[in-house]
Amino acid sequence: DIQMTQSPSSLSASVGDRVTITCQASQDIRNYLSWYQQKPGKAPNLLIYDATNLETGVPSRFSGSGSGTDFTFTISSLQPEDIATYFCQQYDNLPRTFGQGTKLEIK
Amino acid sequence: QVQLVESGGGVVQPGRSLRLSCSASGFTFSSYGMHWVRQAPGKGLEWVAVISYDGNDKYYADSVKGRFIISRDNSKNTLYLQVNSLRAADTAVYYCAKDWGCGSSSCHLLAFASDWGQGTLVTVSS
């Protein structure tokens, strides 16, 4: 199975900050990576697919980059409503696998 | 709008079985693959299984292979997960999710989920 490693596991930032989360795959997954946001007590919400494509309706302050084994998720200007846990997921191979998550908090 | 409503969770003893259901509306259910994803309390997401739009293709995580069975009834717009030989490690919120499928310029079948239900909690305890 492909292992997905996210870092950091948790992150504290101020409103307006640029926030970056990384996700590393244990093998080449091309650009077959998605990012999800999960707010406390809620189901996950798809933000990005194919590593860089913003899902319809997702604010443009969210972005993704990378290919192969190394990927980055960025919030350009952190908003209070962005407090959540973020997960990456690979879909190059079965079984699909998620990163362990990055919990984002407001400083 | 897409609506997915899971049911069937509860407290069950180790070794017992449950059938989880997911009632779908707001989209053409028979045209989309469907996923089950679970989340243990306070933990991350774990992909469990996926089924193709017609039910002919099914794939499972290693941790549930041979114990769980994913199925669907397109006439009832319902997805199922039969969970057998339950273990404490299966305690989790189980989400059903609609496969993203195809967008305007690409298709990713059975790949990742675009819409999720609110989940149903399965607790395995004696």
Side-chain angles (χ1 to χ4, degrees):
Chain A
D1 298 2
I2 296 176
Q3 306 303 314
M4 305 301 294
T5 304
Q6 281 182 240
S7 62
S9 296
S10 62
L11 175 58
S12 182
S14 300
V15 172
D17 281 356
R18 183 180 182 87
V19 171
T20 298
I21 298 169
T22 64
C23 181
Q24 185 171 60
S26 59
Q27 64 188 69
D28 186 349
I29 59 169
R30 298 176 280 180
N31 68 329
Y32 293 152
L33 185 94
S34 57
W35 289 96
Y36 293 91
Q37 175 192 65
Q38 186 179 31
K39 296 184 178 181
K42 300 295 186 180
N45 180 45
L46 176 66
L47 299 179
I48 288 171
Y49 64 95
D50 287 352
T52 61
N53 291 345
L54 210 60
E55 175 70 343
T56 302
V58 174
S60 59
R61 65 179 180 275
F62 297 103
S63 65
S65 64
S67 66
T69 60
D70 296 301
F71 301 85
T72 299
F73 172 81
T74 300
I75 306 173
S76 60
S77 178
L78 185 65
Q79 300 302 303
E81 60 267 31
D82 299 336
I83 297 313
T85 301
Y86 293 85
F87 296 92
C88 60
Q89 183 224 317
Q90 67 80 21
Y91 47 94
D92 189 49
N93 277 15
L94 285 157
R96 310 308 185 201
T97 46
F98 288 91
Q100 80 277 17
T102 297
K103 186 175 183 179
L104 180 55
E105 298 173 328
I106 292 285
K107 193 180 293 184
Chain B
Q1 71 282 17
V2 172
Q3 189 166 11
L4 300 167
V5 179
E6 301 93 338
S7 60
V11 180
V12 60
Q13 293 179 327
R16 304 298 290 265
S17 300
L18 277 178
R19 188 175 80 159
L20 308 182
S21 300
C22 171
S23 177
S25 60
F27 66 104
T28 305
F29 180 73
S30 59
S31 296
Y32 286 88
M34 294 293 294
H35 301 256
W36 285 101
V37 177
R38 69 184 180 181
Q39 187 169 36
K43 303 297 184 182
L45 301 171
E46 180 186 15
W47 179 84
V48 172
V50 66
I51 187 169
S52 60
Y53 71 99
D54 59 1
N56 286 341
D57 297 310
K58 305 173 185 182
Y59 303 97
Y60 299 91
D62 292 343
S63 59
V64 307
K65 201 174 296 183
R67 298 189 300 123
F68 290 11
I69 301 171
I70 189 171
S71 63
R72 64 191 298 157
D73 185 338
N74 286 344
S75 70
K76 296 181 178 179
N77 286 353
T78 303
L79 174 72
Y80 301 102
L81 187 68
Q82 178 70 37
V83 296
N84 301 319
S85 303
L86 281 163
R87 308 165 178 167
D90 296 319
T91 294
V93 173
Y94 285 73
Y95 295 102
C96 75
K98 171 182 165 287
D99 191 50
W100 189 81
C102 293
S104 58
S105 58
S106 64
C107 284
H108 292 294
L109 302 182
L110 310 185
F112 59 93
S114 58
D115 301 88
W116 299 61
Q118 286 307 300
T120 187
L121 176 62
V122 174
T123 302
V124 183
S125 173
S126 54

